[in-house]
Amino acid sequence: MSRFQPATRPTLYFIGVTTGKSSIMKVFPAWAEFLGLKDAEIKGIDFALHDDPAAYREAVEFIRDDALSMGALVTTHKIDLFHACRDLFDVVDPHARLMDETSCISKRDGTLICHAKDPISSGLAIDGFLGDGYFERTGADLFSMGAGGSTIAITWHLMRRSRGADVPGRIVVSNRSQHRLDEIRRIHAEIDSAVPVDYVLAPNAEDNDAVLAGLKPGSLVINATGLGKDAPGSPLSNAAIFPERAVAWDLNYRGDLIFLDQARRQEAERALQVEDGWTYFLHGWTQVIAEVFNVAIPTSGPSFDRISDIAKTAAGR
């Protein structure tokens, strides 16, 4: 017997790990009213990390076959779900094909479509808090801890030759397992880029501390591991020292957020810029809602500011 019941209203699904704790459960109803998405609702689908492929297929087949199930945002399981379900999609967008993942499932005219929206949403977030020409001006490095879908998207955005001189001096990607490092190396090989990339196996926090110690001043340091949200902790130890004037970005905005606490303890002394994942959250969700419900949502300007204000109020930030 299926775990899923047919939707009675236009429904967006959130496929994650602890979806009930996400602010989107409070934010989506307010956004739906603002955007005129009549009667639309959101439901969470929680899977264990690296769950059974059959479980992912059951969820995607249900969304495909249920008339009022409009689509889904996928987090944490982007790569695993894509690998388990690729043959179920009628259309795979170019970013999803390149990055071997999906963060958005939509339906249009009887076809089931998968998209990778992270290259767009992470790019909007980064460009927003770094500003134009940051890497050209500073010559700084990029260090992303975690080799999953978010790091694939972020590195794609920042390493492309089409950015000219505004690229990191060096990219370092670390991960606790070699398999993910091999996969991101394969994907990077398909991107037109001259930026050198180091792939570091980092089973312990001290391994990431050592990478941190070798970065240039002003480097962008990202927690893309899920630690602090999907599981407790930080990819760094409490002995880690950030480079001077570094930008510390946690993709999470909820959870124990220990990585952010570690950065904030050094914020004044090391002149750090500390960013949480709230703006990334806004861009990620609005990109998917626009795709699933086929509505136009701006990425900046007064209307986006209003969407941001609605989210802050609904989430109690």
Side-chain angles (χ1 to χ4, degrees), residues 162-163 250 282 286:
S162 59
R163 289 178 63 91
D250 196 329
L282 295 179
T286 52

Side-chain angles (χ1 to χ4, degrees), residues 28-37 298 302-304 306-307 310:
F28 182 80
W31 276 353
E33 182 177 355
F34 177 74
L35 295 169
L37 305 177
S303 292
F304 185 79
R306 178 62 182 141
I307 287 169
I310 290 171

Side-chain angles (χ1 to χ4, degrees), residues 208-220:
N208 287 319
D209 295 356
V211 174
L212 203 66
L215 299 176
K216 297 174 186 172
S219 291
L220 174 59

